[in-house]
Amino acid sequence: MKQLQPVYFALDFPSGEEALAFLDENGLDGIPVKVGMELFYREGAGMIKALKERNHSIFLDLKLHDIPVTVERAMRNLAWLGVDVVNVHAQGGAEMMRSAVRGLEDGREERPVLLAVTMLTSSDQQMMEEELLLREQLADVVRHYTELAKNSGVDGVVCSVHEAALVKDIEMLALTPGIRLEGGQSHDQKRVATPEVARLKGSDSIVVGRAIRDSENPLDTYNKIREAFSNEITHS
């Protein structure tokens, strides 16, 4: 079965220069990282190459959502970048997700882990009903998308901590963003949790950004988060 790293640090920086400088200045050598749209759309493949040269495991978080043939071709290209994890929106449907799998398998002998985004952690029940016209309960929507992803050959899903247990019942990987330390602000995310709660709920992997980036000692914070989530003793 495919595996995820326990903790990915979200490189939410305006430029590659700032992201790499932050990693260097804070001793975050070789830690697993998430590269999202902001950074990738500015720096492109060069950012991935620079991170790979520094031995970082990379989750490329682009959340592809398009017609199946476009997603298949895009995934074929992303696989050649050598990243470890990629994702699509489950709302794109089963055919699109199957096409994503085909694209990844065409791109490399050992393909990246493929995740399907269920509902963004910035969404809640009210938003679903009033803006997306989804009348089902949020948990039921996540369950349906997870089952659809599994039947399409996807390895796991991106969900909030609050849906992680139901994802594990379906025997899929659960990567959970929206992680905050005790007392931390939620900012633009509505369904958040601490690393300890994520572990107890069954998350396989968590994504942490602001809590590490904005701390006085990012390396110490990263180590504490990893220890709290995975029950491992880490050292600065």
Side-chain angles (χ1 to χ4, degrees):
M1 185 177 181
K2 299 280 188 177
Q3 297 293 323
L4 296 167
Q5 296 292 330
V7 182
Y8 291 90
F9 171 44
L11 293 179
D12 296 330
F13 296 90
S15 71
E17 182 180 1
E18 292 173 73
L20 295 175
F22 185 90
L23 293 170
D24 290 342
E25 292 167 4
N26 292 287
L28 297 167
D29 305 318
I31 68 166
V33 295
K34 179 181 82 74
V35 175
M37 297 178 189
E38 177 185 15
L39 192 56
F40 187 77
Y41 290 161
R42 172 160 177 163
E43 305 293 348
M47 188 71 222
I48 304 304
K49 181 180 179 181
L51 291 168
K52 284 174 59 66
E53 289 174 348
R54 295 160 181 252
N55 297 316
H56 294 278
S57 178
I58 304 168
F59 168 26
L60 184 55
D61 179 25
L62 299 183
K63 303 182 180 73
L64 300 190
H65 187 172
D66 211 314
I67 62 173
V69 66
T70 297
V71 170
E72 181 172 348
R73 292 169 179 170
M75 282 298 183
R76 185 177 298 117
N77 289 334
L78 293 182
W80 278 104
L81 294 179
V83 296
D84 303 279
V85 186
V86 293
N87 58 1
V88 296
H89 266 292
Q91 289 178 345
E95 184 181 353
M96 188 203 75
M97 288 189 279
R98 289 194 294 268
S99 295
V101 173
R102 285 197 300 271
L104 292 175
E105 290 177 342
D106 286 346
R108 287 179 69 85
E109 183 174 341
E110 183 175 351
R111 70 167 176 82
V113 174
L114 177 61
L115 303 177
V117 178
T118 53
M119 293 301 298
L120 298 173
T121 52
S122 58
S123 304
D124 58 15
Q125 188 69 37
Q126 181 179 358
M127 182 267 201
M128 277 178 42
E129 293 181 4
E130 295 181 359
E131 299 180 27
L132 303 182
L133 299 183
L134 295 174
R135 306 300 184 188
E136 303 294 331
Q137 290 298 304
L138 193 151
D140 292 334
V141 173
V142 171
R143 180 180 291 106
H144 174 67
Y145 286 166
T146 302
E147 291 173 344
L148 195 65
K150 182 177 183 179
N151 292 334
S152 302
V154 175
D155 303 304
V157 302
V158 181
C159 63
S160 87
V161 168
H162 307 291
E163 293 91 48
L166 71 85
V167 169
K168 299 311 297 178
D169 285 342
I170 303 171
E171 298 182 337
M172 290 281 273
L173 293 171
L175 181 144
T176 55
I179 302 300
R180 296 290 182 268
L181 299 182
E182 194 70 43
Q185 296 182 1
S186 296
H187 297 284
D188 56 345
Q189 293 178 318
K190 299 174 182 176
R191 291 159 30 244
V192 301
T194 64
E196 292 87 350
V197 171
R199 172 170 54 83
L200 293 173
K201 292 289 187 179
S203 298
D204 295 290
S205 176
I206 58 177
V207 175
V208 187
R210 294 182 182 100
I212 296 172
R213 186 193 65 198
D214 299 340
S215 68
E216 293 184 1
N217 188 328
L219 177 58
D220 184 59
T221 300
Y222 169 80
N223 283 335
K224 287 179 178 178
I225 288 171
R226 183 184 171 97
E227 181 180 344
F229 177 67
S230 57
N231 273 340
E232 293 181 0
I233 302 300
T234 54
H235 303 282
S236 302

